[in-house]
């Protein structure tokens, strides 16, 4: 069975606005880690991301942590090659329409989350696969997107 990758890019917003990662989001990670490869795609520095993941005991669940200012679409394409995936095998979960555009540029699906930077209407304007209003809704959206 081919591997599929779920990339998250909203930890910065959650962590720095609340100084916490909600329990529901930790439940999402615990559920998805058994079926999919998990990754972080962020403009935060990688060395800033790892302490957050380690603080919550979830660092080992992430196969890929990519933090820098290089275009996200280019980093997604590099992951496609690195893990021998097809674009249909990746979904990006994000709180910004810019990230949805980056996913579109890399020809991968995206899921917008409404509890971050951009409104539901802005996210929908980027043409994501789906927009969700609660962390636990990520699970069914990912399953619908990736199978």
């Amino acid at each position: 069975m081919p591997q599929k990758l779920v990339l998250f890019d909203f930890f910065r917003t959650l962590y720095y606005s609340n100084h916490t990662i909600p329990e529901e989001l930790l439940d999402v990670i615990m559920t998805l880690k058994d079926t999919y490869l998990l990754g972080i795609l962020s403009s935060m520095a990688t060395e800033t991301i790892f302490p957050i993941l380690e603080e919550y005991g979830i660092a080992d669940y992430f196969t890929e942590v990519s933090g820098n200012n290089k275009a996200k679409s280019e980093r997604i394409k590099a992951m496609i090659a690195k893990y021998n995936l097809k674009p249909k095998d990746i979904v990006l979960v994000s709180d910004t329409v810019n990230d949805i555009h980056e996913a579109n540029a890399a020809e991968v699906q995206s899921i917008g989350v409404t509890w971050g930077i951009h409104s539901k209407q802005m996210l929908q304007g980027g043409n994501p696969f789906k927009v969700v209003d609660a962390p636990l809704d990520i699970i069914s959206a990912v399953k619908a997107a990736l199978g």
Side-chain angles (χ1 to χ4, degrees):
M1 174 190 231
Q3 295 182 350
K4 298 180 181 189
L5 176 63
V6 179
L7 293 170
F8 293 94
D9 186 12
F10 55 84
F11 278 97
R12 168 192 242 164
T13 305
L14 283 176
Y15 189 77
Y16 288 112
S17 64
N18 304 329
H19 299 287
T20 186
I21 297 175
E23 191 67 35
E24 295 86 8
L25 185 55
L26 295 173
D27 291 343
V28 169
I29 292 164
M30 297 303 286
T31 300
L32 295 178
K33 74 177 180 58
D34 294 329
T35 306
Y36 307 101
L37 298 174
L38 301 182
I40 304 282
L41 183 69
S42 180
S43 41
M44 287 174 56
T46 302
E47 57 271 11
T48 304
I49 299 167
F50 271 111
I52 297 168
L53 300 177
E54 289 170 350
E55 177 181 344
Y56 285 90
I58 57 175
D60 291 343
Y61 303 144
F62 290 89
T63 303
E64 182 75 35
V65 177
S66 175
N68 68 36
N69 289 323
K70 186 176 177 185
K72 291 178 182 177
S73 59
E74 295 305 314
R75 289 188 277 156
I76 292 169
K77 290 175 185 178
M79 289 177 210
I80 289 170
K82 179 178 179 178
Y83 296 105
N84 196 28
L85 300 171
K86 293 183 170 84
K88 69 178 181 67
D89 297 328
I90 298 178
V91 66
L92 173 64
V93 182
S94 178
D95 64 348
T96 72
V97 71
N98 301 343
D99 290 342
I100 292 169
H101 291 308
E102 291 283 335
N104 293 341
E107 301 179 350
V108 303
Q109 297 182 90
S110 59
I111 297 168
V113 298
T114 60
W115 57 84
I117 294 174
H118 290 151
S119 69
K120 186 172 194 167
Q121 293 73 24
M122 283 188 73
L123 294 167
Q124 288 171 329
N127 196 30
F129 173 77
K130 188 163 183 89
V131 175
V132 299
D133 295 313
L136 291 175
D137 293 338
I138 294 171
I139 297 168
S140 59
V142 165
K143 289 179 179 179
L146 298 179

